[in-house]
Amino acid sequence: MRRTSFDGWPCSIARTVDILGDGWTLLVLREVFYGESRFDGFIGSLGIARNTLADRLRRLEDAGLLERRVYRTEPVRHEYLPTEKGRDFFGVLAAINAWGDRWLAGEEGVPVTMRHTACDHDTQPQVVCSSCGEPLRHADVAVRTGPGYPARLLERPDVQARFGVAPNR
């Protein structure tokens, strides 16, 4: 089955989904942040099929989120470590976790808590404005085209309506 690619779309969400658009990929990254780095460790913690895991690790490596390193030479064994790009994805997983804690945790409470070791307190991640520090809420955010938005699409009426762009005349 051929996979749909969103790589060329003028949208960072679509491009990210192109790399991370299935549950296994996100769970592999979760395990990396929990400290797992070895193929058999992922198998044990996730119960994922070997071929599926190999595909997700290859995809994450190709996308530059994980780096494969040899940790044993006889036989050759690799570990998978987050790159800077991969480490930067932690905030996304933390935000997904916070949403799940709020909306999906049962009466028994949240399944995993995050402790901010710098201040030694449990924490709930928040997405905040980089300028004023206020939480970002949908009602308080307007979207507009950025410098990387394809000029050829700006003439489309649906794009003009979505982003409030005046047609070029």
Side-chain angles (χ1 to χ4, degrees), residues 70-169:
V70 173
Y71 71 87
R72 188 168 74 191
T73 57
E74 293 292 328
V76 174
R77 296 284 185 255
H78 297 95
E79 62 183 346
Y80 297 85
L81 303 170
T83 61
E84 180 181 358
K85 186 177 180 180
R87 288 187 299 274
D88 198 41
F89 191 73
F90 174 77
V92 177
L93 283 181
I96 291 170
N97 189 74
W99 184 89
D101 285 351
R102 178 172 181 192
W103 295 105
L104 305 175
E107 291 179 14
E108 59 280 355
V110 301
V112 174
T113 59
M114 292 188 181
R115 188 145 191 101
H116 188 224
T117 57
C119 69
D120 200 32
H121 287 90
D122 288 347
T123 187
Q124 280 290 326
Q126 295 183 345
V127 177
V128 299
C129 174
S130 62
S131 293
C132 70
E134 289 293 316
L136 287 183
R137 293 183 181 85
H138 176 256
D140 301 326
V141 174
V143 295
R144 59 191 177 107
T145 58
Y149 201 88
R152 63 181 167 72
L153 296 179
L154 294 175
E155 296 297 322
R156 289 180 27 183
D158 61 321
V159 170
Q160 293 169 11
R162 177 183 299 140
F163 294 113
V165 177
N168 293 334
R169 297 190 192 251

Side-chain angles (χ1 to χ4, degrees), residues 4-21:
T4 301
S5 176
F6 301 110
D7 183 48
W9 283 36
C11 172
S12 292
I13 293 170
R15 291 174 182 169
T16 302
V17 166
D18 198 52
I19 297 168
L20 306 167

Side-chain angles (χ1 to χ4, degrees), residues 22-32 36-60 66 80:
D22 71 273
W24 285 124
T25 305
L26 293 173
L27 292 174
V28 167
L29 284 169
R30 179 199 68 188
E31 292 302 307
V32 167
E36 188 55 67
S37 64
R38 297 181 178 178
F39 194 90
D40 288 338
F42 292 120
I43 297 286
S45 62
L46 294 172
I48 185 174
R50 296 180 80 77
N51 63 328
T52 302
L53 176 59
D55 176 70
R56 296 325 183 270
L57 290 170
R58 186 173 29 260
R59 190 183 314 168
L60 289 167
L66 295 181
Y80 297 85

